[in-house]
């Protein structure tokens, strides 16, 4: 099959290299913005050259951002081409529209690299759902923040220095705020919840708190309780059918699987009704791991896959007050809500009694106005 790449950055160049020696996948055209001398013979600045080229079977979108990625992916599907993308922002924002368009066109829309980088998480989620019902998922879904937190725990690294290193290694988003503020994970959680529960959540349904304000005293507070700070995403379906889904830093007991995940690695687990817990571990970001999953999606299309990971998109109620746990909170100044919760001192902060997730996130969002340095972490 013939591929056209949209974008030739970290992931796009990896896909190109991966396909170079393959007999079954050929990169015929590459849409570029700036000049890329190494692919001058197949580069174009005009998407129409790709859209109207009938020899192109699969458009691989690895340029990122919402626009013009949305317009290009939509046009490619309408033109009868399969689409593979690593762009979680795009899929999370246009989930229902794009999955329904692909279904109507009878074309594949695959985005395995979008969640978990090199981990075949979405593929396995789809696979287990053929037999079993997914009750919950949880995991580390961002390589950049795990890289930062791991370095802060293991050698006391400075936040900004280690973020710069993650950017150099190609882990971070074009705007790394998406990583450190948890928005990248929020998008991955939306896609995971929608696939896991045949739902139609949007980013607004998923409360998020990032690690922008984390300090070494918070790392010390976690360690004082034999815990490790990790950025986690959660999704769970209750017996009533409502879904809870949220993203936050967590102090994880040091014996747990997530606590042992180092560098840019991710681990994501699901719990199903009959199979129980299964976990998927690997590199969550970087050129070759991510490109691997994009190329594997193309190989699946050669193998006959012509679908998204689920064909169901249902309106599902969201209830983030159904989940509740203690929180570590570091906040300067006095506050009525915090004073009303029973809490014990922990380093520079406190650890509260269990608080509903939606309530704590709503408080934290408001508390940032009074203290931009406020930090919260769930104790799970
Ligand atoms: P890069 O910034 O390295 O690459 C993006 C490429 O797309 C650049 O070459 C850029 O051109 C090009 N581009 C951007 N806009 C246009 C446009 N309008 N027309 C033509 N080319 C364009 O990003 P990544 O490769 O890291 O990420 C790509 C996608 O993959 C993103 O959606 C990201 O979220 C996702 N992803 C990335 C992972 C990673 O580890 N890096 C992991 C999983 C997913 P120019 O070179 O001129 O800037
Ligand atoms: N910026 C993302 C991360 C890329 O660090 O996980 C992989 O999705």
């Amino acid at each position: 099959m013939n591929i056209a790449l949209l974008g030739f950055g970290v992931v796009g160049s990896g896909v190109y290299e991966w396909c170079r020696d393959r007999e079954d996948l050929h990169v015929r055209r590459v849409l570029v913005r700036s000049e890329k001398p190494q692919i001058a013979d197949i580069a174009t600045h005009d998407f129409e050259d790709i859209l109207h080229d009938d020899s192109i079977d699969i458009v691989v979108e690895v340029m990122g951002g919402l626009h013009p990625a949305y317009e290009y992916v939509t046009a490619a599907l309408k033109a009868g081409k399969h689409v593979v993308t690593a762009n979680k922002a795009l899929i999370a924002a246009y989930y229902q529209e794009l999955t329904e368009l692909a279904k109507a066109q009878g074309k594949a829309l695959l985005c395995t690299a979008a969640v978990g980088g090199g981990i075949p998480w979405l593929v396995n989620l789809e696979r287990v759902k053929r037999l079993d019902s997914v009750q919950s998922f949880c995991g580390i879904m961002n390589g950049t923040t795990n890289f930062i937190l791991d370095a802060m725990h293991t050698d006391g690294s400075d936040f900004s220095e280690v973020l710069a290193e993650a950017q150099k290694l190609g882990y971070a988003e074009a705007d790394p705020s998406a990583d450190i503020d948890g928005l990248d994970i929020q998008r991955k959680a939306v896609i995971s919840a929608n696939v896991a529960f045949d739902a139609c959540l949007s980013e607004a349904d998923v409360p998020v708190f990032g690690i922008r304000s984390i300090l070494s005293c918070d790392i010390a507070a976690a360690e004082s309780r034999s815990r490790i700070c990790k950025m986690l995403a959660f999704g769970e379906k209750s017996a009533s059918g409502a879904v809870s889904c949220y993203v936050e830093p967590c102090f994880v007991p040091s014996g747990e699987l997530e606590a042992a995940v180092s560098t840019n690695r991710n681990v994501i687990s699901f719990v199903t009704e009959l199979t129980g817990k299964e976990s998927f571990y690997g590199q969550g970001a970087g050129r070759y791991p991510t490109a691997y999953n994009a190329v594997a999606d193309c190989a699946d299309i050669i193998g006959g896959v012509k679908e998204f990971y689920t064909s169901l998109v249902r309106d599902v109620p969201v209830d983030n007050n159904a989940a509740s746990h203690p929180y570590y909170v570091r906040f300067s100044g006095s506050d009525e809500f915090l004073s009303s919760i029973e809490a014990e001192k922990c380093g520079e902060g406190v650890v509260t009694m269990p608080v509903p997730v939606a309530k704590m996130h709503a408080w934290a969002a408001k508390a940032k106005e009074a203290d931009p340095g406020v930090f919260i972490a769930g104790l799970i």
Side-chain angles (χ1 to χ4, degrees):
M1 279 192 173
N2 291 329
I3 295 176
L5 284 176
L6 310 185
F8 197 75
V10 172
V11 184
S13 58
V15 172
Y16 175 77
E17 279 183 45
W18 215 298
C19 290
R20 220 163 22 191
D21 300 325
R22 289 189 69 99
E23 299 275 297
D24 55 349
L25 284 170
H26 310 281
V27 179
R28 285 282 184 246
R29 296 311 299 262
V30 183
L31 183 74
V32 296
R33 184 164 57 184
S34 52
E35 299 308 321
K36 309 287 176 197
Q38 67 274 44
I39 48 153
D41 54 331
I42 52 170
T44 175
H45 290 284
D46 188 355
F47 176 66
E48 299 286 313
D49 289 344
I50 289 166
L51 190 63
H52 300 302
D53 182 341
D54 291 338
S55 75
I56 306 288
D57 306 290
I58 308 173
V59 168
V60 179
E61 187 275 302
V62 280
M63 54 193 237
L66 290 182
H67 304 285
Y70 163 78
E71 288 75 14
Y72 291 172
V73 161
T74 305
L77 287 169
K78 285 185 178 161
K81 299 183 191 303
H82 302 289
V83 169
V84 169
T85 177
N87 189 340
K88 50 263 171 169
L90 175 73
I91 298 295
Y94 293 98
Y95 185 86
Q96 184 160 6
E97 184 182 333
L98 291 179
T99 56
E100 287 181 352
L101 175 61
K103 190 174 168 185
Q105 292 295 111
K107 294 293 160 189
L109 171 63
L110 297 177
C111 59
T112 311
V115 187
I119 305 173
W121 159 247
L122 291 177
V123 170
N124 278 287
L125 204 48
E126 181 276 325
R127 200 162 184 265
V128 77
K129 283 180 64 203
R130 294 181 208 166
L131 303 176
D132 208 346
S133 158
V134 179
Q135 297 173 320
S136 66
F137 67 84
C138 161
I140 296 169
M141 294 190 178
N142 183 272
T144 303
T145 48
N146 200 61
F147 190 77
I148 294 170
L149 292 172
D150 183 43
M152 288 180 84
H153 269 288
T154 49
D155 53 27
S157 292
D158 172 73
F159 185 98
S160 315
E161 276 171 26
V162 69
L163 170 60
E165 202 183 334
Q167 288 178 279
K168 228 186 297 164
L169 289 164
Y171 302 157
E173 294 302 300
D175 175 0
S177 300
D179 296 291
I180 61 178
D181 291 330
L183 305 178
D184 177 77
I185 313 174
Q186 184 187 43
R187 294 162 187 154
K188 292 166 175 171
V190 164
I191 300 168
S192 299
N194 288 347
V195 172
F197 309 128
D198 299 321
C200 189
L201 268 56
S202 69
E203 288 160 60
D205 293 318
V206 180
V208 59
F209 196 92
I211 61 163
R212 182 183 286 273
S213 58
I214 194 167
L215 299 175
S216 55
C217 65
D218 305 317
I219 297 288
E223 288 176 358
S224 73
R225 298 206 162 209
S226 304
R227 287 166 182 261
I228 305 288
C229 186
K230 293 289 178 189
M231 267 302 274
L232 293 183
F234 297 88
E236 185 161 12
K237 188 173 65 177
S238 71
S240 71
V243 165
S244 69
C245 188
Y246 55 96
V247 175
E248 61 187 23
C250 285
F251 288 179
V252 181
S254 54
E256 292 293 324
L257 185 58
E258 290 79 7
V261 174
S262 65
T263 62
N264 66 330
R265 290 185 168 77
N266 289 186
V267 68
I268 321 177
S269 310
F270 54 60
V271 176
T272 63
E273 201 177 328
L274 301 174
T275 325
K277 183 170 175 176
E278 279 189 50
S279 301
F280 303 86
Y281 168 84
Q283 290 199 59
R287 169 175 282 122
Y288 293 113
T290 310
Y292 151 74
N293 255 335
V295 176
D297 280 350
C298 295
D300 281 348
I301 291 170
I302 293 176
V305 170
K306 278 197 204 144
E307 286 154 9
F308 188 63
Y309 309 88
T310 172
S311 57
L312 288 175
V313 182
R314 293 186 303 219
D315 257 338
V316 173
V318 179
D319 180 7
N320 279 310
N321 275 318
S324 172
H325 48 249
Y327 277 91
Y328 166 81
V329 182
R330 177 176 48 74
F331 176 75
S332 66
S334 61
D335 177 83
E336 203 180 315
F337 171 69
L338 269 189
S339 315
S340 71
I341 310 168
E342 204 180 313
E344 59 185 42
K345 189 103 183 91
C346 179
E348 308 279 308
V350 294
V351 169
T352 68
M353 294 298 281
V355 179
V357 167
K359 202 168 179 182
M360 179 51 87
H361 279 253
W363 174 81
K366 227 167 166 333
K368 275 185 193 165
E369 291 165 19
D371 173 14
V374 63
F375 181 72
I376 65 167
L379 265 75
I380 54 158

